[in-house]
Amino acid sequence: MAKTLDFYFDFSSPYGFLAATQVEALAARHDCDLVWRPYLLGAAFKTTGRQPLLNHPVVGDYARHDIARTARLLDIAWQMPDKFPIMTVAACRAYYWLKDIDVQQAVEFCKLTYQAYFAENRNITDKAVLAEIVASLGIDPEQLLEALGDATVKQYFRDQVERALDLGVFGSPYIIVDGEPFWGLDHFDQLEIWLERGGW
Amino acid sequence: MAKTLDFYFDFSSPYGFLAATQVEALAARHDCDLVWRPYLLGAAFKTTGRQPLLNHPVVGDYARHDIARTARLLDIAWQMPDKFPIMTVAACRAYYWLKDIDVQQAVEFCKLTYQAYFAENRNITDKAVLAEIVASLGIDPEQLLEALGDATVKQYFRDQVERALDLGVFGSPYIIVDGEPFWGLDHFDQLEIWLERGGW
């Protein structure tokens, strides 16, 4: 039976964006099912008492350099958005609403949204931008705008965040497979070894 | 001309310990000179406003799991020391003092000291433990004990820490080559690609 990779990320996370460009090929190499699970890293920071790397003196400069360098290595178009970090709750709600309609389109939505933010410097907190992305997938943007304010959609996403925190998720990207957590794009190599060997 | 890898680490850093078991082979694969540069991560934390991973709820649990898992993968004997974290200033002073006498013995001292702390659960803040390590290298331990209180040795190490911070060093392990910083054992794969290609 195919294993499931649970891929947690925040739409405002540069390393999450880079990981999102790699994770499908990784899952395919190992015949794994992949579940995209956007959540709010900010909620995890409250629990862990941490802050975004980019907020820290010296470390932030390194991270900016490292993100750009990693993007170059992986041949990914990248620019630091003007507005950063941002609240990504609307994008997350949109994803979970779409997932209920069509999983594959919801995944496409994630990729397009990341692309819009980190490659095209578009403001993905803006519902009009999300509506445009959804429309490009052939889905009625009016339905999306309605869904974003829907109490059931809101509650569903709150539950998803709570579930992630209960599982100990605290980073972006953060992948769980076989109950084993792998934090960071940097840990994808260990994740691959894990999948190759079935653990160690 | 051989490139130089400047290898910064803290004797109290588990990931630094793991990296120390890998870094010589890495340097040898790429015909690089390797300079071991123990420093005080705590001094960097003051600048960056960060804390050890292990201090954070949730993240600390992950890190403990990840360190043990990585040690298993790399076949490195490992145990979490009873006393952790510790002040490593004496070990650092010992290293820089030894380096002045014999660089290779100073490197051996680093490896034995890390081994004593993270594989044998010995207290490397204890000067008697450091003296024993030095004696095992054939060096008079009395000379070491004298050197540890020597004003010139102390000042030299303070200067080394200041120099590291001036260079933006903030982690352990943290390697600089070609003026490019690579933070974390996890980044050794990118470091290897950098050395293979001469950058990208």
Side-chain angles (χ1 to χ4, degrees), chain A residues 3 20 37 39 44 97 133 199:
Chain A
K3 289 183 178 184
R37 298 191 179 277
Y39 81 115
W97 171 74
I133 292 170

Side-chain angles (χ1 to χ4, degrees), chain B residues 7 34 46 50 56 98 106 118 121 133 136 141 163:
Chain B
F7 171 45
L34 179 63
K46 279 185 202 147
R50 298 182 82 237
H56 289 276
L98 273 168
F118 283 118
N121 194 22
I133 293 171
S136 79
R163 184 179 164 281

Side-chain angles (χ1 to χ4, degrees), chain A residues 48 56 66 69 180 187, chain B residues 48 56 62 66 69 180 187:
Chain A
T48 59
H56 289 275
D66 181 55
R69 187 174 61 185
E180 285 286 320
H187 243 41
Chain B
T48 60
H56 289 276
Y62 172 86
D66 181 55
R69 187 173 61 187
E180 284 287 320
H187 244 41

Side-chain angles (χ1 to χ4, degrees), chain B residues 77-94:
Chain B
W78 151 265
Q79 59 175 305
M80 193 65 204
D82 292 331
K83 221 172 126 71
F84 178 89
I86 53 168
M87 275 301 293
T88 60
V89 63
C92 291
R93 284 180 192 155

Side-chain angles (χ1 to χ4, degrees), chain A residues 175-196:
Chain A
I175 287 184
I176 300 179
V177 63
D178 296 334
E180 285 286 320
F182 295 88
W183 173 33
L185 174 59
D186 263 355
H187 243 41
F188 274 24
D189 56 344
Q190 283 203 12
L191 171 59
E192 294 235 31
I193 297 171
W194 185 274
L195 295 170
E196 267 159 37

Side-chain angles (χ1 to χ4, degrees), chain A residues 103-120:
Chain A
V103 174
Q104 200 45 51
Q105 281 195 320
V107 168
E108 283 307 309
F109 170 81
C110 289
K111 295 194 277 184
L112 291 170
T113 300
Y114 254 152
Q115 183 74 14
Y117 186 46
F118 283 118
E120 295 156 16

